Structure formats: C-alpha cells, structure tokens
Amino acid sequence: MSVDELDPQTGLFLEGEWVPATGGSQLTTVDPATTEPITPVAAAGEADVDRAVSAARSAFPEWRDLAPDERGRIVHRIGQTIRAHVDELAEIESRDQGKPLAQAHSDMTSAARYFEYYAGAADKLEGKSVPVGPEQIDYTVREPYGVSAQIIPWNFPGNLFARGVAPALVAGNSVVVKPAEQTPLSSLRLAELCAEAGVPDGVVNVVPGFGEPAGAALTGHPHVDTITFTGSVATGRAIMRRAAEHVTPVTLELGGKNPAIVYPDADIDEAADWISLAIFTNAGQVCSAADRVLVHESVHDDLVERIVRRAAAYEIGPGHEDLDMGPLVSEAQFETVRRYVELGREEGATVATGGSPIDRPGYFFEPTVFTDVDPEHRIAREEIFGPVLTVSRFADTREAVRVANDTDYGLVAGAFTSDVTRAHRLARELEAGTVYVNKWFGDTNQTPFGGYKQSGIGREKGLEALDSYLQTKNVAVNLSEDGGGDLPGA
Ligand code: ADP
Ligand code: MG
C-alpha cells in the first residue's frame, strides 16, 4: 500500500464521531522529506477541548465500572487490531514524521505490545488489607482518576499514544489525547482502531491542535483529573504551572542529555555500534539518545574513528525509502540543529564528520560527530534533539562520573566496560532513571522508564506506570460493639 492511497482521518475524534473543529479551524501537517503538505487536519480550540473533556467525563463511569476482565479483553483487542494494521500505521507515521519505515514499523509493533501488556493487568489491580487490630477492618482499593489528558510529542507519536493510553484505559480512566501539531495522523488512526476494537464512544477522544490553545486548554481544564506529558522541559514547566491551578497530578517525561561512558576494557567496536544507533536513530530525535560520549583518553581515537566510519556510511532519504535515517521532523527542528552545529564550531569543537544540511528538499541533516568538546560547551550541556554527538575525553572514573552527573537532566546513562564491578558501581553512581551496560535502548514495554532531576516526574512503562492512573482509597470500618473514640492521627 502506498501512503497516497491511505485516506487518513482528519477531524476531531469526539464520542466516537469525526467532527470538524469549531469555526472549521485547521492546521496542515507536512511531509518533512519534501516539505509538502500532506493534509489539513482539524485544529482544536478551547471549546473543542471542552467538548472532548465532557465526552470523556460522561463516558468514564461506565468504563470504570465494566468488569475488569472485560475491560482487559477490549484493551487486548486494541493490541490485536493495531497488529492487523501495523503496515498501514507505519506508512502513516513514516510519512507524517519522516522516520524510516522499519523504525515506524517497530514503533507500531511496540504500540500493539503496550495494549497487550497492560490488558493482562486489568483484573489484577488489587488493593490490600491492612491489619489494624480486632476492632476495625481496613482495606485499600485502587481507583482510576477519571479523565486522563495525554499530550503527545512528535518524535514517537503513535508509540507514545499507546504508552500512555494503554495503562490509562486498563486502570479504568477515559482519555483525551492531544497529538503534536507536526504529527497528528497516527493518533487519529489509532483512535479509530480503538473504537473498532470495542472501546465505547467517548472513552478515547483525540483533539489535534497546537500547544496553544489546545494543549494549554486541556492541561488547565478543571475536569481533567490527571495529565501525562512527554516533551521539552520548557513545555513541561508550563504544563505544571497550569496543572497547579486545579492541583492536577502530572506525569512528565522531559528529555535528557545522556552520557555514554566508554572504558578501555570495553569492546570498542561494539560500543561504536551501540552509540551510533543510539544517537542517529530517528535522526537523534529521541529523549533517551546517547548524546554525549565520555571516553577514556587511551581509546578516544579508536572509538571516534569507528563511530565516524559508521556515520559517514549512513544512507539518508525519505522514510518510505527505508534507509538508515530520515529528515528532521520540521523546519523549526532543522533550524535548531543547524544553529547548535554552528554554535559547536564557534565554541571550538572539531567536526569529525557531518556538520551540514543535506542539499535536497526536506529537512535532512548529516549525522554529525563533534570531538574536542569541553563538557562546559553548550553543545555538551543542552539537548539538541538531532543527529549530533559530542565526544569528550576523561582520564579517571571519578572525573567521568562527575561530568556524567553534572547536568540538570537525568533520563538515561550508559557504561561500556567488561569489568563487572565497575559496571555495577557505575549503575549505582549515575544519576539517571535508566542505566544501560554494554547496550543502549531496548528497555521494553515491561521496564519502568522516566527521569531523575529535570528529566521528569513519575514513570512510564512497566507496571509502575499504572501508579499514574490509579489513586488509592483506604477504607476503615468500625467493628467495635461499644462505639469508639479514635483521635485523628492515632
Ligand atoms: P517542541 O517545542 O519541540 O514542539 P514541545 O515539548 O513543546 O516540543 O511539544 C510537545 C507537545 O506539547 C506537543 O503536543 C505540543 O503541541 C504540546 N505543547 C506545546 N506547548 C504546550 C503548552 N503550553 N501546553 C500544553 N501542551 C503544549
Ligand atoms: Mg507531519
């Protein structure tokens, strides 16, 4: 199937219906490989967000009260329905976002897996009984919050839709999803597939639109009960501020500037493979990318040479050609990357390979490696979100750990070493929500993921993610036959 034969839905998805935005307001999503428009899509305004939240609110009690095994079966069917459409979803994603088809395919298979994984938890969300003595029965129940708002970024749009919506639904919440304005199409199709799988109308709603007004209206809405956001630190802060108005809980995953520490006793060739994959996948637009290498001075040249060789051999082109790397998602992101590469040169770092836009239509940028990077350089401290690796040297472990941790971020970190003791010591010392040893990525749907420090609040993935979608109620029942008289705090 070619993507031109696809007929993506482009309205708001409210109560199981496709409807235009109030006043017919639209945005245009483009193909970043050509800069040509793909299609206009409804752009939600405040009133549309309000309708979506009302729809989710009305649908919530019935969804919450469904027998847990039945809710689990429906969520499992979403996973199967996604699997049945995985090629089509990958085509849509690749075209809208720019990533190579194989990567989009992997994202969508993983999206199916989120629904399958969480489906099995639907009838296992148990509370506990607390032994407080013979005069009282005390137990806890885990209840959904109500309406979950999901603000989705543009780097893994369909996959992150699933990462948030699957646990939200299994826990009994209804959802309103706002996909990023650059990449709304996969969310719209996924919502339709949720309906096809048997999700009742109003339980999953999608409001494509911009951060302002749609995202802001959603995160500041008095009837949104919990917010899940993945994106930049700046936007995460803005969302927290708005959420504070109604004391709405937030789960935030906010990017990183992730260190990869390479020791002389590592398999240098394998380390070069992992690091190249970890910085150039999705054109570096990955919050858990290996952004900055800290390499022992004795193996610096060897490692750099191997990474440079791989980077220079990267084949780059539109997603549908399914090469190694596609374009950046948008003109804005392309300009950001270009500016950072200029800055790196001005700061005195050396371009070991790449460093330029590719001379063709679309937002293509060369895989770029900077050496002679001082850890104080801005290119080594700020998240670039592009295919740009910085390499700095270290002489001893204490220095490596200090530099690795000297950042406001703390999403992931990695160590390449064959010394088991050193590996585990580093795992303890690195301030990050995930530590990789002799690998990168590959945290599965089952493993908790999230940031230390400014990289976020709460955890996505794994059973821990369910904590963002369930609140605990404690029930205390008096069994005493002659009344009581407990004081608060007893
Ligand atoms: P970028 O700046 O690269 O687009 P963001 O982190 O701002 O990255 O965007 C991620 C998501 O957050 C998108 O869906 C975007 O529309 C949304 N967003 C942006 N600004 C706001 C805001 N003020 N409130 C809520 N959502 C927002
Ligand atoms: Mg697009």
Side-chain angles (χ1 to χ4, degrees):
M1 190 187 327
S2 102
V3 81
D4 298 316
E5 295 164 31
L6 300 171
D7 185 17
Q9 287 292 353
T10 56
L12 313 171
F13 191 66
L14 297 188
E15 281 179 290
E17 304 273 346
W18 294 103
V19 296
T22 307
S25 181
Q26 291 188 318
L27 58 84
T28 297
T29 187
V30 304
D31 177 348
T34 60
T35 78
E36 298 293 328
I38 302 174
T39 177
V41 172
E46 231 170 277
D48 300 310
V49 167
D50 201 44
R51 280 156 74 199
V53 174
S54 301
R57 206 167 177 73
S58 316
F60 167 61
E62 205 177 318
W63 180 248
R64 172 195 61 198
D65 294 337
L66 205 61
D69 62 319
E70 177 58 12
R71 202 162 59 233
R73 267 192 298 279
I74 293 173
V75 172
H76 197 267
R77 264 203 309 275
I78 301 175
Q80 293 173 310
T81 310
I82 292 173
R83 275 188 198 277
H85 291 87
V86 82
D87 292 337
E88 175 204 344
L89 285 163
E91 297 260 10
I92 291 173
E93 193 82 314
S94 171
R95 176 82 182 276
D96 203 12
Q97 199 273 350
K99 63 180 69 192
L101 265 180
Q103 288 176 31
H105 201 275
S106 157
D107 291 359
M108 292 304 171
T109 305
S110 154
R113 180 85 186 100
Y114 278 119
F115 287 98
E116 294 164 356
Y117 170 74
Y118 285 108
D123 55 0
K124 301 170 193 69
L125 302 171
E126 298 169 351
K128 58 189 176 189
S129 147
V130 186
V132 289
E135 299 300 310
Q136 211 188 111
I137 290 181
D138 192 287
Y139 62 91
T140 67
V141 281
R142 303 182 77 196
E143 298 186 337
Y145 280 91
V147 177
S148 154
Q150 301 275 335
I151 311 277
I152 314 281
W154 45 256
N155 59 341
F156 289 87
N159 187 264
L160 297 184
F161 174 109
R163 186 172 87 175
V165 170
L169 289 186
V170 155
N173 301 274
S174 54
V175 296
V176 177
V177 178
K178 195 206 78 66
E181 55 273 28
Q182 298 86 347
T183 54
L185 298 181
S186 55
S187 289
L188 293 170
R189 184 66 179 125
L190 283 165
E192 197 172 35
L193 294 178
C194 287
E196 209 176 298
V199 173
D201 293 349
V203 172
V204 173
N205 308 277
V206 181
V207 286
F210 293 96
E212 301 263 3
L218 187 57
T219 50
H221 199 288
H223 294 146
V224 162
D225 301 297
T226 182
I227 298 167
T228 299
F229 168 73
T230 301
S232 62
V233 174
T235 301
R237 275 194 205 105
I239 286 174
M240 266 185 102
R241 269 188 223 110
R242 288 194 67 96
E245 188 76 19
H246 305 287
V247 198
T248 312
V250 292
T251 301
L252 306 175
E253 198 249 278
L254 303 180
K257 187 70 177 179
N258 311 300
I261 309 180
V262 183
Y263 285 89
D265 61 11
D267 182 322
I268 301 298
D269 201 54
E270 273 185 22
D273 271 342
W274 284 113
I275 290 165
S276 308
L277 175 85
I279 184 64
F280 301 132
T281 296
N282 208 25
Q285 301 163 119
V286 184
C287 47
S288 54
D291 305 288
R292 48 188 181 120
V293 163
L294 309 175
V295 56
H296 191 269
E297 55 196 7
S298 67
V299 287
H300 172 275
D301 293 357
D302 187 12
L303 180 75
V304 167
E305 189 203 312
R306 289 169 200 266
I307 296 176
V308 163
R309 210 184 311 133
R310 285 163 178 75
Y314 257 60
E315 291 191 86
I316 298 163
H320 67 86
E321 290 181 18
D322 204 18
L323 304 173
D324 301 316
M325 203 171 99
L328 293 156
V329 74
S330 63
E331 185 171 10
Q333 197 54 25
F334 175 82
E335 282 305 321
T336 299
V337 171
R338 212 176 46 75
R339 274 199 309 273
Y340 270 112
V341 170
E342 258 167 47
L343 174 69
R345 287 195 175 96
E346 285 162 21
E347 288 183 304
T350 304
V351 176
T353 186
S356 304
I358 295 173
D359 185 18
R360 58 179 293 166
Y363 307 123
F364 294 93
F365 203 93
E366 292 173 334
T368 299
V369 177
F370 275 111
T371 53
D372 302 315
V373 178
D374 186 299
E376 292 303 319
H377 285 163
R378 282 181 55 199
I379 56 165
R381 301 193 68 80
E382 297 173 19
E383 188 177 39
I384 299 173
F385 230 61
V388 182
L389 180 70
T390 68
V391 182
S392 309
R393 304 162 195 257
F394 70 86
D396 68 67
T397 283
R398 216 169 320 127
E399 181 189 359
V401 171
R402 183 186 57 73
V403 171
N405 287 339
D406 179 21
T407 167
D408 290 335
Y409 291 109
L411 191 59
V412 310
F416 294 87
T417 175
S418 58
D419 179 334
V420 138
T421 309
R422 172 184 280 156
H424 287 291
R425 288 190 71 94
L426 283 165
R428 196 176 62 201
E429 287 167 13
L430 290 169
E431 296 163 359
T434 293
V435 175
Y436 302 117
V437 177
N438 296 328
K439 75 187 297 275
W440 210 274
F441 300 142
D443 4 17
T444 73
N445 310 65
Q446 299 154 247
T447 48
F449 182 78
Y452 278 29
K453 301 193 255 184
Q454 293 188 24
S455 285
I457 297 176
R459 292 293 175 268
E460 308 277 349
K461 315 194 344 168
L463 292 176
E464 280 198 49
L466 291 164
D467 295 342
S468 300
Y469 299 104
L470 291 163
Q471 48 192 343
T472 297
K473 177 182 282 172
N474 190 83
V475 180
V477 182
N478 187 16
L479 293 188
S480 157
E481 283 174 345
D482 44 45
D486 285 349
L487 294 172

